Amino acid sequence: MELLDFARGPGMQWSIGIFVAGVLWRVLGILLLHHRRDLSEPRVGGAAPLLGGAQKVVRRLWPRKEFKERNLLPTALAYIVHIGLAIVVFGGSFHLLFIKNLFGISWPALPSAFVYFTGAATVAAGIALLARRIIDPVTRLLSNFDDYFSWFVTLAPVVTGLMAVAHFGARYETVLALHILSFELLLVWFPFGKLMHAFLWVPSKARTGYVFTRKGATS
Amino acid sequence: MPSELTLGESLAARGVSRRAFLKFCASIASAMALPPSVAPAMAEAMAKAKRPSVIYLSFQECTGCLESLTRAHQASLETLIFDLVSLEYQHTIMAPSGEAAERSLHQAIEENRGKYVLIVDGAIPLGDPGYGTVAGQSFADIMTETAKGAAAILAVGTCASFGGLPKADPNPTGAVPVSHIVKDKPIVNIPGCPPIAVVMTSVVAHFLTFGKLPDLDHLNRPKAFFGDTIHDRCYRRPFYDQGKFAKTFDDAGARQGWCLYELGCKGPVTYNACATVKWNGGVSFPIESGHGCIGCSEPDFWDRGSFYQPLPMSLWTNRGKTLAAAAAAGAAIGAGAAIASRMRQRKLVEEK
């Protein structure tokens, strides 16, 4: 069995299996935890805490004005990475073939040139974010293996994907295999590292917003 | 015709003009991407060379390879193939049959021991000797015995090169390629289903001219013909680069000749010369006829999913079972972890 056959067959099967099992483990493990009931009288009652939770999710999409000067650039770069990934994954014609094969659904692809440009912009923004993380003493101190490895497994499929469409670096079958394997590495790492924020950031922000609003605190 | 004659003498005896021979050499040199100046030198070297004895064995095959060879569009080449070599044994096209045919095989082996070129067509079944026999001898034994005295072996077609269709899952006969049985002889693989005739002719011509086999890739294929992918040389490649893909075999894109990648074309991962040498008198090749490449010159091409399944698609088949098992396992572990946490909390509360 060659590398590409492994990547398209058993590699895909195991990585998606680990991804599904890992995500359910993490999500259910958190949701089913014992949450102590708040017996205090709510400062704000009714639907307000729920609204507060939703507001916090939305407000945290952009830095507060106190931190805007410091965080505007990294926030913008992070948006480029996230939106770029979404465009590449859900707009690229080759990826839509993969999605259709897996889930049986499809939609019109975006123009290839636009997807390739977006992929390149995503990589550039990702590299800028890494540089900032390393250069800034605060983020460097806060960073650990999880941050760097999550960065690597996120950008590796984009880089290898661009290499594959450009037929660059090695024989096409090797680069395509590396592209698929790098995506599989992303799937395997996803539930166990900080990439899990894709599933957890909304419930965690909403819960914090709910609790704070209930206590009458701004969030 | 006696093998003692040089190739030049035997061609002259058959009325082949020097001009025709030079044209043949020029076409071979061109096919192998050698400089044009090599053609006269090649003609001179080949004219002086003794016609090599060739034994052609057919095992688990469909005769498509031999059909490709004998019906090659280069008519002069077809003639020259049999003038170029002294074909001692080929049981489909030889005149003798039965014991006489077997005698000629053994005679050819004895008389040309260490000097003959062995051409093999078809895979060899190892599952049971009875799956393939000639005159009571198994294919594996014939292969081993004949290979011992060969100067070089040409495995013609994907079955002989990589096992091909007989080796496809579940491989009921235990079919193996030539390289699985013969380990101590130089083997040139010329895969394809069928292979391109001029590749075989060129390898023999190279052997006669330079006294050695041509440069081979990691799968023992001649680099001159298997150095590029079909995709690299495909006339539809610009459409791939522009992101223009046919979605069905009869849509507007297909009619405008757009890339067949999304219809399962295996051109990007298939190394062969179809896009340059072409078929049917140089008229076209499969992609030019509107069908994607099926990757027939690559190992295990039959087991790599549907011919119509694009390369990005997964080969993973039993999805429902795997996903259900993974979901059940993840849910059980997650619930177990939460329950364990609750019990630990309760214990801590009780201890206080």
Side-chain angles (χ1 to χ4, degrees), chain B residues 12 20 27 37 45 55-56 72-73 77 79 134 178 189 200 210 214 242 254 330:
Chain B
S27 69
S37 57
I55 295 173
Y56 192 122
H73 64 262
L77 292 189
T79 312
V134 175
V178 173
N189 288 328
M200 199 186 94
F210 301 107
Q242 292 167 28

Side-chain angles (χ1 to χ4, degrees), chain A residues 3-219:
Chain A
L3 194 62
L4 182 58
D5 297 329
F6 171 79
R8 295 176 70 200
M12 188 61 69
Q13 182 174 3
W14 277 97
S15 59
I16 292 184
I18 291 169
F19 172 80
V20 169
V23 167
L24 279 171
W25 170 8
R26 291 288 307 276
V27 171
L28 285 178
I30 293 168
L31 289 181
L32 297 178
L33 278 176
H34 174 66
H35 299 281
R36 209 184 302 171
R37 194 186 299 171
D38 190 350
L39 300 172
S40 63
E41 188 73 25
R43 296 287 293 274
V44 183
L50 289 174
L51 191 64
Q55 277 177 343
K56 184 168 174 70
V57 171
V58 175
R59 279 180 191 156
R60 284 292 177 268
L61 291 173
W62 200 248
R64 292 172 71 102
K65 66 178 177 195
E66 295 89 335
F67 306 113
K68 198 171 267 181
E69 194 179 336
R70 179 183 168 81
N71 288 341
L72 190 62
L73 180 64
T75 305
L77 290 172
Y79 268 105
I80 292 173
V81 170
H82 283 79
I83 295 170
L85 284 172
I87 288 172
V88 170
V89 171
F90 299 112
S93 60
F94 299 162
H95 297 150
L96 293 182
L97 292 173
F98 175 78
I99 290 169
K100 187 180 180 185
N101 178 238
L102 212 56
F103 302 108
I105 52 169
S106 191
W107 47 86
L110 292 167
S112 298
F114 174 67
V115 175
Y116 302 156
F117 172 79
T118 307
T122 304
V123 173
I127 291 170
L129 278 173
L130 178 69
R132 188 214 175 237
R133 182 180 285 280
I134 294 169
I135 292 166
D136 188 303
V138 177
T139 53
R140 188 171 65 229
L141 191 67
L142 291 172
S143 300
N144 57 18
F145 172 79
D146 190 349
D147 294 292
Y148 294 114
F149 194 64
S150 296
W151 176 90
F152 171 73
V153 297
T154 304
L155 286 195
V158 188
V159 173
T160 52
L162 287 170
M163 287 169 66
V165 292
H167 291 254
F168 174 77
R171 292 157 73 108
Y172 180 77
E173 64 270 28
T174 307
V175 180
L176 180 61
L178 288 176
H179 175 57
I180 298 173
L181 286 170
S182 61
F183 170 63
E184 289 165 2
L185 181 63
L186 168 72
L187 288 178
V188 169
W189 177 250
F190 195 103
F192 309 108
K194 291 189 177 179
L195 295 176
M196 197 54 195
H197 73 268
F199 284 92
L200 297 179
W201 77 272
V202 170
S204 63
K205 290 278 182 288
R207 180 179 158 79
T208 308
Y210 175 88
V211 171
F212 276 34
T213 308
R214 191 173 187 279
K215 290 180 175 174
T218 56
S219 59

Side-chain angles (χ1 to χ4, degrees), chain B residues 210-232:
Chain B
F210 301 107
K212 61 175 187 176
L213 295 170
D215 287 344
L216 306 176
D217 70 4
H218 70 292
L219 294 173
N220 282 352
R221 302 176 295 193
K223 278 184 184 170
F225 296 97
F226 295 89
D228 293 320
T229 62
I230 300 289
H231 184 67
D232 289 334

Side-chain angles (χ1 to χ4, degrees), chain B residues 31-333:
Chain B
M32 297 195 77
L34 295 170
S37 57
V38 168
M42 182 181 261
E44 194 176 337
M46 282 172 60
K48 287 178 187 165
K50 287 271 170 59
R51 290 192 312 147
S53 290
V54 168
I55 295 173
Y56 192 122
L57 298 177
S58 298
F59 296 127
Q60 283 178 301
E61 48 84 37
C62 64
T63 315
C65 300
L66 190 65
E67 285 287 321
S68 168
L69 186 60
T70 55
R71 294 174 196 279
H73 64 262
Q74 299 97 329
S76 58
L77 292 189
E78 185 215 334
T79 312
L80 282 164
I81 287 162
F82 295 106
D83 291 330
L84 194 65
V85 299
S86 173
L87 191 62
E88 312 284 353
Y89 180 88
Q90 208 305 328
H91 65 205
T92 307
I93 57 176
M94 70 194 300
S97 62
E99 288 180 4
E102 294 316 298
R103 265 200 308 277
S104 65
L105 171 62
H106 293 115
Q107 193 180 345
I109 292 173
E110 289 310 317
E111 288 178 359
N112 303 290
R113 189 169 287 282
K115 292 182 285 187
Y116 59 84
V117 174
L118 175 60
I119 298 177
V120 183
D121 168 8
I124 301 115
L126 296 184
D128 186 310
Y131 286 144
T133 63
V134 175
Q137 205 178 4
S138 73
F139 284 173
D141 288 345
I142 297 171
M143 181 71 240
T144 309
E145 189 183 316
T146 317
K148 275 180 193 164
I153 299 173
L154 307 189
V156 175
T158 302
C159 299
S161 300
F162 307 129
L165 183 56
K167 184 173 169 280
D169 188 49
N171 191 4
T173 62
V176 294
V178 173
S179 56
H180 184 90
I181 293 178
V182 181
K183 304 286 184 189
D184 57 349
K185 297 284 178 185
I187 298 175
V188 179
N189 288 328
I190 304 174
C193 191
I196 299 172
V198 73
V199 179
M200 199 186 94
T201 319
S202 301
V203 171
V204 174
H206 191 284
F207 186 61
L208 287 175
T209 307
F210 301 107
K212 61 175 187 176
L213 295 170
D215 287 344
L216 306 176
D217 70 4
H218 70 292
L219 294 173
N220 282 352
R221 302 176 295 193
K223 278 184 184 170
F225 296 97
F226 295 89
D228 293 320
T229 62
I230 300 289
H231 184 67
D232 289 334
R233 298 290 178 184
C234 183
Y235 74 105
R236 297 193 190 215
R237 173 66 185 268
F239 293 115
Y240 171 91
D241 293 332
Q242 292 167 28
K244 292 177 176 173
F245 301 99
K247 307 290 179 188
T248 66
F249 284 107
D250 60 352
D251 67 4
R255 285 195 287 277
Q256 291 177 67
W258 288 3
C259 180
L260 302 172
Y261 186 92
E262 294 193 8
L263 293 172
C265 181
K266 304 297 184 293
V269 295
T270 303
Y271 291 79
N272 207 338
C274 300
T276 45
V277 176
K278 300 192 178 179
W279 296 85
N280 304 322
V283 169
S284 65
F285 68 112
I287 293 173
E288 207 165 350
S289 304
H291 193 283
C293 168
I294 62 171
C296 71
S297 59
E298 294 297 317
D300 302 322
F301 80 100
W302 203 262
D303 289 327
R304 289 177 163 168
S306 162
F307 293 155
Y308 304 100
Q309 190 172 13
L311 286 168
M313 286 189 176
S314 169
L315 297 176
W316 169 28
T317 48
N318 53 342
R319 288 175 201 154
K321 272 186 187 173
T322 308
L323 288 178
I333 297 171

